[in-house]
PDB file of all heavy atoms in Angstrom:
ATOM      1  N   ASN A1442       0.820  -1.218   0.000  1.00  0.00           N
ATOM      2  CA  ASN A1442       0.000   0.000   0.000  1.00  0.00           C
ATOM      3  C   ASN A1442       0.852   1.267   0.000  1.00  0.00           C
ATOM      4  O   ASN A1442       0.359   2.354   0.329  1.00  0.00           O
ATOM      5  CB  ASN A1442      -0.928   0.007   1.217  1.00  0.00           C
ATOM      6  CG  ASN A1442      -0.173   0.079   2.527  1.00  0.00           C
ATOM      7  OD1 ASN A1442       1.023  -0.202   2.584  1.00  0.00           O
ATOM      8  ND2 ASN A1442      -0.855   0.464   3.596  1.00  0.00           N
ATOM      9  N   ASP A1443       2.125   1.129  -0.356  1.00  0.00           N
ATOM     10  CA  ASP A1443       3.080   2.243  -0.473  1.00  0.00           C
ATOM     11  C   ASP A1443       3.587   2.757   0.867  1.00  0.00           C
ATOM     12  O   ASP A1443       4.349   3.729   0.902  1.00  0.00           O
ATOM     13  CB  ASP A1443       2.504   3.416  -1.283  1.00  0.00           C
ATOM     14  CG  ASP A1443       2.352   3.083  -2.762  1.00  0.00           C
ATOM     15  OD1 ASP A1443       3.112   2.236  -3.242  1.00  0.00           O
ATOM     16  OD2 ASP A1443       1.459   3.651  -3.412  1.00  0.00           O
ATOM     17  N   ASP A1444       3.185   2.150   1.970  1.00  0.00           N
ATOM     18  CA  ASP A1444       3.817   2.453   3.248  1.00  0.00           C
ATOM     19  C   ASP A1444       5.148   1.717   3.321  1.00  0.00           C
ATOM     20  O   ASP A1444       5.457   0.868   2.468  1.00  0.00           O
ATOM     21  CB  ASP A1444       2.918   2.021   4.418  1.00  0.00           C
ATOM     22  CG  ASP A1444       1.734   2.950   4.606  1.00  0.00           C
ATOM     23  OD1 ASP A1444       1.762   4.062   4.060  1.00  0.00           O
ATOM     24  OD2 ASP A1444       0.774   2.542   5.290  1.00  0.00           O
ATOM     25  N   SER A1445       5.935   2.015   4.333  1.00  0.00           N
ATOM     26  CA  SER A1445       7.211   1.327   4.499  1.00  0.00           C
ATOM     27  C   SER A1445       7.522   1.157   5.978  1.00  0.00           C
ATOM     28  O   SER A1445       7.009   1.899   6.824  1.00  0.00           O
ATOM     29  CB  SER A1445       8.342   2.084   3.798  1.00  0.00           C
ATOM     30  OG  SER A1445       8.510   3.368   4.370  1.00  0.00           O
ATOM     31  N   LEU A1446       8.353   0.190   6.275  1.00  0.00           N
ATOM     32  CA  LEU A1446       8.820  -0.067   7.634  1.00  0.00           C
ATOM     33  C   LEU A1446      10.335   0.036   7.651  1.00  0.00           C
ATOM     34  O   LEU A1446      11.014  -0.522   6.778  1.00  0.00           O
ATOM     35  CB  LEU A1446       8.416  -1.475   8.091  1.00  0.00           C
ATOM     36  CG  LEU A1446       6.933  -1.801   8.221  1.00  0.00           C
ATOM     37  CD1 LEU A1446       6.761  -3.294   8.528  1.00  0.00           C
ATOM     38  CD2 LEU A1446       6.286  -0.968   9.314  1.00  0.00           C
ATOM     39  N   ASN A1447      10.873   0.745   8.635  1.00  0.00           N
ATOM     40  CA  ASN A1447      12.321   0.792   8.835  1.00  0.00           C
ATOM     41  C   ASN A1447      12.665  -0.055  10.053  1.00  0.00           C
ATOM     42  O   ASN A1447      12.139   0.189  11.141  1.00  0.00           O
ATOM     43  CB  ASN A1447      12.792   2.232   9.037  1.00  0.00           C
ATOM     44  CG  ASN A1447      12.694   3.045   7.760  1.00  0.00           C
ATOM     45  OD1 ASN A1447      13.304   2.699   6.755  1.00  0.00           O
ATOM     46  ND2 ASN A1447      11.916   4.112   7.792  1.00  0.00           N
ATOM     47  N   ILE A1448      13.517  -1.044   9.856  1.00  0.00           N
ATOM     48  CA  ILE A1448      13.826  -2.001  10.912  1.00  0.00           C
ATOM     49  C   ILE A1448      15.335  -2.138  11.043  1.00  0.00           C
ATOM     50  O   ILE A1448      16.058  -2.164  10.045  1.00  0.00           O
ATOM     51  CB  ILE A1448      13.217  -3.389  10.608  1.00  0.00           C
ATOM     52  CG1 ILE A1448      11.715  -3.271  10.316  1.00  0.00           C
ATOM     53  CG2 ILE A1448      13.452  -4.366  11.752  1.00  0.00           C
ATOM     54  CD1 ILE A1448      11.077  -4.589   9.904  1.00  0.00           C
ATOM     55  N   ILE A1449      15.797  -2.232  12.284  1.00  0.00           N
ATOM     56  CA  ILE A1449      17.197  -2.558  12.564  1.00  0.00           C
ATOM     57  C   ILE A1449      17.277  -4.047  12.871  1.00  0.00           C
ATOM     58  O   ILE A1449      16.598  -4.534  13.766  1.00  0.00           O
ATOM     59  CB  ILE A1449      17.736  -1.742  13.755  1.00  0.00           C
ATOM     60  CG1 ILE A1449      17.611  -0.234  13.465  1.00  0.00           C
ATOM     61  CG2 ILE A1449      19.191  -2.109  14.033  1.00  0.00           C
ATOM     62  CD1 ILE A1449      18.373   0.222  12.248  1.00  0.00           C
ATOM     63  N   ILE A1450      18.090  -4.765  12.115  1.00  0.00           N
ATOM     64  CA  ILE A1450      18.156  -6.217  12.277  1.00  0.00           C
ATOM     65  C   ILE A1450      19.608  -6.673  12.431  1.00  0.00           C
ATOM     66  O   ILE A1450      20.552  -5.932  12.142  1.00  0.00           O
ATOM     67  CB  ILE A1450      17.488  -6.947  11.083  1.00  0.00           C
ATOM     68  CG1 ILE A1450      18.022  -6.399   9.726  1.00  0.00           C
ATOM     69  CG2 ILE A1450      15.978  -6.773  11.106  1.00  0.00           C
ATOM     70  CD1 ILE A1450      19.195  -7.101   9.199  1.00  0.00           C
ATOM     71  N   ASN A1451      19.767  -7.897  12.878  1.00  0.00           N
ATOM     72  CA  ASN A1451      21.087  -8.516  12.931  1.00  0.00           C
ATOM     73  C   ASN A1451      21.453  -8.989  11.534  1.00  0.00           C
ATOM     74  O   ASN A1451      20.624  -9.571  10.829  1.00  0.00           O
ATOM     75  CB  ASN A1451      21.076  -9.693  13.899  1.00  0.00           C
ATOM     76  CG  ASN A1451      22.462 -10.258  14.139  1.00  0.00           C
ATOM     77  OD1 ASN A1451      23.116 -10.766  13.227  1.00  0.00           O
ATOM     78  ND2 ASN A1451      22.923 -10.172  15.385  1.00  0.00           N
ATOM     79  N   VAL A1452      22.679  -8.747  11.122  1.00  0.00           N
ATOM     80  CA  VAL A1452      23.098  -9.064   9.761  1.00  0.00           C
ATOM     81  C   VAL A1452      22.994 -10.564   9.471  1.00  0.00           C
ATOM     82  O   VAL A1452      22.885 -10.985   8.320  1.00  0.00           O
ATOM     83  CB  VAL A1452      24.525  -8.555   9.512  1.00  0.00           C
ATOM     84  CG1 VAL A1452      25.538  -9.369  10.293  1.00  0.00           C
ATOM     85  CG2 VAL A1452      24.844  -8.555   8.018  1.00  0.00           C
ATOM     86  N   LYS A1453      23.002 -11.392  10.512  1.00  0.00           N
ATOM     87  CA  LYS A1453      22.971 -12.840  10.322  1.00  0.00           C
ATOM     88  C   LYS A1453      21.569 -13.422  10.443  1.00  0.00           C
ATOM     89  O   LYS A1453      21.389 -14.633  10.518  1.00  0.00           O
ATOM     90  CB  LYS A1453      23.900 -13.512  11.342  1.00  0.00           C
ATOM     91  CG  LYS A1453      25.360 -13.109  11.176  1.00  0.00           C
ATOM     92  CD  LYS A1453      26.241 -13.777  12.221  1.00  0.00           C
ATOM     93  CE  LYS A1453      27.695 -13.331  12.053  1.00  0.00           C
ATOM     94  NZ  LYS A1453      28.589 -13.941  13.079  1.00  0.00           N
ATOM     95  N   ILE A1454      20.575 -12.568  10.449  1.00  0.00           N
ATOM     96  CA  ILE A1454      19.201 -13.017  10.618  1.00  0.00           C
ATOM     97  C   ILE A1454      18.766 -13.871   9.428  1.00  0.00           C
ATOM     98  O   ILE A1454      19.195 -13.655   8.286  1.00  0.00           O
ATOM     99  CB  ILE A1454      18.256 -11.799  10.766  1.00  0.00           C
ATOM    100  CG1 ILE A1454      16.875 -12.210  11.261  1.00  0.00           C
ATOM    101  CG2 ILE A1454      18.124 -11.059   9.440  1.00  0.00           C
ATOM    102  CD1 ILE A1454      15.958 -11.029  11.579  1.00  0.00           C
ATOM    103  N   LEU A1455      17.935 -14.880   9.694  1.00  0.00           N
ATOM    104  CA  LEU A1455      17.339 -15.669   8.618  1.00  0.00           C
ATOM    105  C   LEU A1455      16.215 -14.867   7.963  1.00  0.00           C
ATOM    106  O   LEU A1455      15.535 -14.077   8.624  1.00  0.00           O
ATOM    107  CB  LEU A1455      16.774 -16.980   9.166  1.00  0.00           C
ATOM    108  CG  LEU A1455      17.769 -18.016   9.697  1.00  0.00           C
ATOM    109  CD1 LEU A1455      17.022 -19.183  10.336  1.00  0.00           C
ATOM    110  CD2 LEU A1455      18.674 -18.524   8.578  1.00  0.00           C
ATOM    111  N   CYS A1456      16.006 -15.089   6.689  1.00  0.00           N
ATOM    112  CA  CYS A1456      14.932 -14.386   5.976  1.00  0.00           C
ATOM    113  C   CYS A1456      13.576 -14.685   6.618  1.00  0.00           C
ATOM    114  O   CYS A1456      12.713 -13.806   6.700  1.00  0.00           O
ATOM    115  CB  CYS A1456      14.923 -14.789   4.502  1.00  0.00           C
ATOM    116  SG  CYS A1456      16.425 -14.308   3.615  1.00  0.00           S
ATOM    117  N   HIS A1457      13.402 -15.909   7.091  1.00  0.00           N
ATOM    118  CA  HIS A1457      12.150 -16.277   7.761  1.00  0.00           C
ATOM    119  C   HIS A1457      11.936 -15.446   9.017  1.00  0.00           C
ATOM    120  O   HIS A1457      10.820 -14.995   9.297  1.00  0.00           O
ATOM    121  CB  HIS A1457      12.172 -17.763   8.120  1.00  0.00           C
ATOM    122  CG  HIS A1457      11.040 -18.182   9.008  1.00  0.00           C
ATOM    123  ND1 HIS A1457       9.741 -18.279   8.561  1.00  0.00           N
ATOM    124  CD2 HIS A1457      11.000 -18.496  10.337  1.00  0.00           C
ATOM    125  CE1 HIS A1457       8.956 -18.640   9.561  1.00  0.00           C
ATOM    126  NE2 HIS A1457       9.693 -18.779  10.645  1.00  0.00           N
ATOM    127  N   GLU A1458      13.013 -15.202   9.765  1.00  0.00           N
ATOM    128  CA  GLU A1458      12.896 -14.413  10.985  1.00  0.00           C
ATOM    129  C   GLU A1458      12.513 -12.973  10.683  1.00  0.00           C
ATOM    130  O   GLU A1458      11.730 -12.363  11.410  1.00  0.00           O
ATOM    131  CB  GLU A1458      14.222 -14.466  11.760  1.00  0.00           C
ATOM    132  CG  GLU A1458      14.563 -15.859  12.279  1.00  0.00           C
ATOM    133  CD  GLU A1458      15.942 -15.922  12.909  1.00  0.00           C
ATOM    134  OE1 GLU A1458      16.890 -15.359  12.316  1.00  0.00           O
ATOM    135  OE2 GLU A1458      16.084 -16.515  13.992  1.00  0.00           O
ATOM    136  N   LEU A1459      13.051 -12.434   9.588  1.00  0.00           N
ATOM    137  CA  LEU A1459      12.681 -11.070   9.197  1.00  0.00           C
ATOM    138  C   LEU A1459      11.216 -11.018   8.777  1.00  0.00           C
ATOM    139  O   LEU A1459      10.496 -10.089   9.136  1.00  0.00           O
ATOM    140  CB  LEU A1459      13.574 -10.581   8.056  1.00  0.00           C
ATOM    141  CG  LEU A1459      13.245  -9.183   7.514  1.00  0.00           C
ATOM    142  CD1 LEU A1459      13.312  -8.136   8.628  1.00  0.00           C
ATOM    143  CD2 LEU A1459      14.183  -8.810   6.372  1.00  0.00           C
ATOM    144  N   LEU A1460      10.754 -12.024   8.036  1.00  0.00           N
ATOM    145  CA  LEU A1460       9.351 -12.064   7.619  1.00  0.00           C
ATOM    146  C   LEU A1460       8.434 -12.108   8.839  1.00  0.00           C
ATOM    147  O   LEU A1460       7.404 -11.421   8.882  1.00  0.00           O
ATOM    148  CB  LEU A1460       9.092 -13.275   6.723  1.00  0.00           C
ATOM    149  CG  LEU A1460       7.648 -13.451   6.228  1.00  0.00           C
ATOM    150  CD1 LEU A1460       7.205 -12.253   5.408  1.00  0.00           C
ATOM    151  CD2 LEU A1460       7.517 -14.736   5.419  1.00  0.00           C
ATOM    152  N   VAL A1461       8.799 -12.879   9.851  1.00  0.00           N
ATOM    153  CA  VAL A1461       8.005 -12.959  11.075  1.00  0.00           C
ATOM    154  C   VAL A1461       7.971 -11.598  11.767  1.00  0.00           C
ATOM    155  O   VAL A1461       6.923 -11.161  12.258  1.00  0.00           O
ATOM    156  CB  VAL A1461       8.576 -14.039  12.019  1.00  0.00           C
ATOM    157  CG1 VAL A1461       7.925 -13.952  13.403  1.00  0.00           C
ATOM    158  CG2 VAL A1461       8.352 -15.425  11.424  1.00  0.00           C
ATOM    159  N   GLN A1462       9.106 -10.900  11.799  1.00  0.00           N
ATOM    160  CA  GLN A1462       9.143  -9.566  12.409  1.00  0.00           C
ATOM    161  C   GLN A1462       8.208  -8.602  11.688  1.00  0.00           C
ATOM    162  O   GLN A1462       7.478  -7.836  12.320  1.00  0.00           O
ATOM    163  CB  GLN A1462      10.569  -9.011  12.374  1.00  0.00           C
ATOM    164  CG  GLN A1462      11.498  -9.570  13.430  1.00  0.00           C
ATOM    165  CD  GLN A1462      12.789  -8.773  13.532  1.00  0.00           C
ATOM    166  OE1 GLN A1462      12.795  -7.559  13.359  1.00  0.00           O
ATOM    167  NE2 GLN A1462      13.882  -9.454  13.799  1.00  0.00           N
ATOM    168  N   VAL A1463       8.239  -8.646  10.349  1.00  0.00           N
ATOM    169  CA  VAL A1463       7.382  -7.758   9.562  1.00  0.00           C
ATOM    170  C   VAL A1463       5.913  -8.056   9.839  1.00  0.00           C
ATOM    171  O   VAL A1463       5.109  -7.150  10.071  1.00  0.00           O
ATOM    172  CB  VAL A1463       7.685  -7.910   8.056  1.00  0.00           C
ATOM    173  CG1 VAL A1463       6.661  -7.144   7.213  1.00  0.00           C
ATOM    174  CG2 VAL A1463       9.095  -7.417   7.749  1.00  0.00           C
ATOM    175  N   CYS A1464       5.556  -9.339   9.847  1.00  0.00           N
ATOM    176  CA  CYS A1464       4.167  -9.722  10.096  1.00  0.00           C
ATOM    177  C   CYS A1464       3.728  -9.302  11.498  1.00  0.00           C
ATOM    178  O   CYS A1464       2.585  -8.874  11.694  1.00  0.00           O
ATOM    179  CB  CYS A1464       3.990 -11.229   9.909  1.00  0.00           C
ATOM    180  SG  CYS A1464       4.144 -11.759   8.187  1.00  0.00           S
ATOM    181  N   ASP A1465       4.628  -9.421  12.470  1.00  0.00           N
ATOM    182  CA  ASP A1465       4.301  -8.998  13.836  1.00  0.00           C
ATOM    183  C   ASP A1465       4.058  -7.491  13.897  1.00  0.00           C
ATOM    184  O   ASP A1465       3.119  -7.029  14.556  1.00  0.00           O
ATOM    185  CB  ASP A1465       5.434  -9.386  14.798  1.00  0.00           C
ATOM    186  CG  ASP A1465       5.473 -10.882  15.087  1.00  0.00           C
ATOM    187  OD1 ASP A1465       4.476 -11.570  14.782  1.00  0.00           O
ATOM    188  OD2 ASP A1465       6.496 -11.357  15.614  1.00  0.00           O
ATOM    189  N   LEU A1466       4.907  -6.718  13.220  1.00  0.00           N
ATOM    190  CA  LEU A1466       4.747  -5.269  13.223  1.00  0.00           C
ATOM    191  C   LEU A1466       3.452  -4.850  12.534  1.00  0.00           C
ATOM    192  O   LEU A1466       2.824  -3.863  12.919  1.00  0.00           O
ATOM    193  CB  LEU A1466       5.940  -4.605  12.530  1.00  0.00           C
ATOM    194  CG  LEU A1466       7.264  -4.632  13.301  1.00  0.00           C
ATOM    195  CD1 LEU A1466       8.402  -4.154  12.416  1.00  0.00           C
ATOM    196  CD2 LEU A1466       7.173  -3.754  14.552  1.00  0.00           C
ATOM    197  N   LEU A1467       3.039  -5.607  11.531  1.00  0.00           N
ATOM    198  CA  LEU A1467       1.801  -5.302  10.808  1.00  0.00           C
ATOM    199  C   LEU A1467       0.575  -5.913  11.485  1.00  0.00           C
ATOM    200  O   LEU A1467      -0.542  -5.704  11.030  1.00  0.00           O
ATOM    201  CB  LEU A1467       1.885  -5.819   9.364  1.00  0.00           C
ATOM    202  CG  LEU A1467       2.974  -5.206   8.483  1.00  0.00           C
ATOM    203  CD1 LEU A1467       2.987  -5.882   7.115  1.00  0.00           C
ATOM    204  CD2 LEU A1467       2.775  -3.710   8.328  1.00  0.00           C
TER     205      LEU A1467
END
């Protein structure tokens, strides 16, 4: 919807873990 999220993450994070973080924030 053209919104965006700015997140600070660990460089070694799994892509799945980032997806879970995004879903939690939304």
Side-chain angles (χ1 to χ4, degrees):
N1442 65 342
D1443 290 333
D1444 286 344
S1445 62
L1446 296 173
N1447 290 301
I1448 307 176
I1449 302 300
I1450 50 91
N1451 188 297
V1452 70
K1453 297 179 181 179
I1454 193 173
L1455 293 174
C1456 296
H1457 170 72
E1458 295 174 316
L1459 177 58
L1460 179 60
V1461 169
Q1462 282 192 35
V1463 172
C1464 291
D1465 286 345
L1466 288 171
L1467 298 176

